[in-house]
Amino acid sequence: MTLQSKLDAFKADFQAGKPPFNVPHSVIETMNRATAELIASGAAQKALKAGDTLPAFSLADPEGKTVSSADLLAQGPLVISFYRGVWCPYCNMELQALQEALPQFEALGAQLVAISPQNPVNSRKSLRQNNLTFPILSDPHNDVAAAFGLRFEMQDYLVELYKSLKNDLPAFNGDPSWTLPMPARYVVGQDGVILYAEVNPDYTRRPEPEDMLPALRLASGRAA
């Protein structure tokens, strides 16, 4: 079963209001409105693309250790997934799929990291719940996401919806701003050049992990 088919099945149950979700249709309409507006804004077209240079970063892992892009690239090609947070079921399913594909990435000499605005406590929770062996790096204020062109500010009506659902992003992130990264996936060669980029303002749609393998083979010097 592909990652997207799993996401589609979850979305169908969620939007149908099936247990344990029991979400009223008005909530679904509000979420769909926000997604449609983000798509229409054209924000995704402004994000970094293949051929662009990776913005250098240094971020803390869940244990407080600083991890830099320079150190990661010194070890091999880099796969980056921008992750909204432990509260997002779509993101968690994506991380689980990336974990399953990790041996294929490692066989090509690649490192995998996720980047999220959530604080280290919630990143440790993500690691446990999703049985991850790769790090989730904390991106305070979504500053690294902004450097990639992924950060967006949530509309007031969406903030109110999140509050009504007890989805308190300032508490999750340790940051009073209501911003999120658009879900995105990147493959970066050791020279810092982005070889693969997938950005989708619709958080319910994610590329398959295997979609990155041709770029990783290219990065590792193997035939695609």
Side-chain angles (χ1 to χ4, degrees):
M1 193 174 188
T2 65
L3 170 59
Q4 190 57 55
S5 62
K6 291 177 183 177
L7 298 175
D8 290 344
F10 176 87
K11 181 178 180 180
D13 286 347
F14 182 80
Q15 294 200 342
K18 292 184 178 179
F21 314 114
N22 303 314
V23 178
H25 190 64
S26 60
V27 169
I28 305 301
E29 287 181 333
T30 300
M31 290 179 169
N32 288 344
R33 173 190 170 189
T35 297
E37 289 178 357
L38 185 57
I39 293 170
S41 75
Q45 282 69 51
K46 300 171 186 174
L48 293 185
K49 300 175 176 62
D52 290 334
T53 300
L54 173 79
F57 60 80
S58 292
L59 299 172
D61 72 7
E63 304 307 320
K65 177 186 174 184
T66 299
V67 177
S68 74
S69 54
D71 288 345
L72 291 167
L73 289 172
Q75 300 175 61
L78 180 60
V79 176
I80 303 172
S81 174
F82 280 88
Y83 168 67
R84 296 177 351 141
V86 68
W87 50 271
C88 173
Y90 297 93
C91 294
N92 290 322
M93 283 187 272
E94 177 179 17
L95 292 190
Q96 292 164 19
L98 288 170
Q99 178 66 43
E100 290 179 11
L102 183 57
Q104 297 178 75
F105 302 159
E106 292 177 337
L108 293 167
Q111 305 280 316
L112 167 63
V113 298
I115 295 178
S116 171
Q118 69 187 3
N119 62 32
V121 171
N122 284 304
S123 288
R124 289 195 292 272
K125 184 178 180 182
S126 292
L127 293 177
R128 289 194 307 271
Q129 290 186 351
N130 296 300
N131 296 312
L132 306 180
T133 60
F134 60 89
I136 298 175
L137 308 181
S138 291
D139 179 19
H141 317 297
N142 277 300
D143 286 341
V144 172
F148 277 77
L150 303 172
R151 183 175 67 188
F152 69 95
E153 189 167 344
M154 296 171 66
Q155 301 278 17
D156 289 344
Y157 69 82
L158 189 59
V159 171
E160 292 307 312
L161 174 64
Y162 271 51
K163 287 179 178 177
S164 73
L165 298 174
K166 310 298 184 193
N167 207 351
D168 187 354
L169 291 193
F172 277 114
N173 300 342
D175 171 18
S177 72
W178 286 81
T179 63
L180 284 173
M182 287 181 285
R185 197 98 55 73
Y186 290 93
V187 172
V188 186
Q190 283 192 272
D191 59 358
V193 175
I194 296 170
L195 301 174
Y196 170 99
E198 178 69 32
V199 181
N200 202 322
D202 181 351
Y203 62 90
T204 69
R205 302 203 60 79
R206 312 289 171 105
E208 300 301 319
E210 292 75 17
D211 292 352
M212 296 182 291
L213 292 177
L216 283 172
R217 292 189 187 105
L218 179 65
S220 68
R222 303 185 187 191

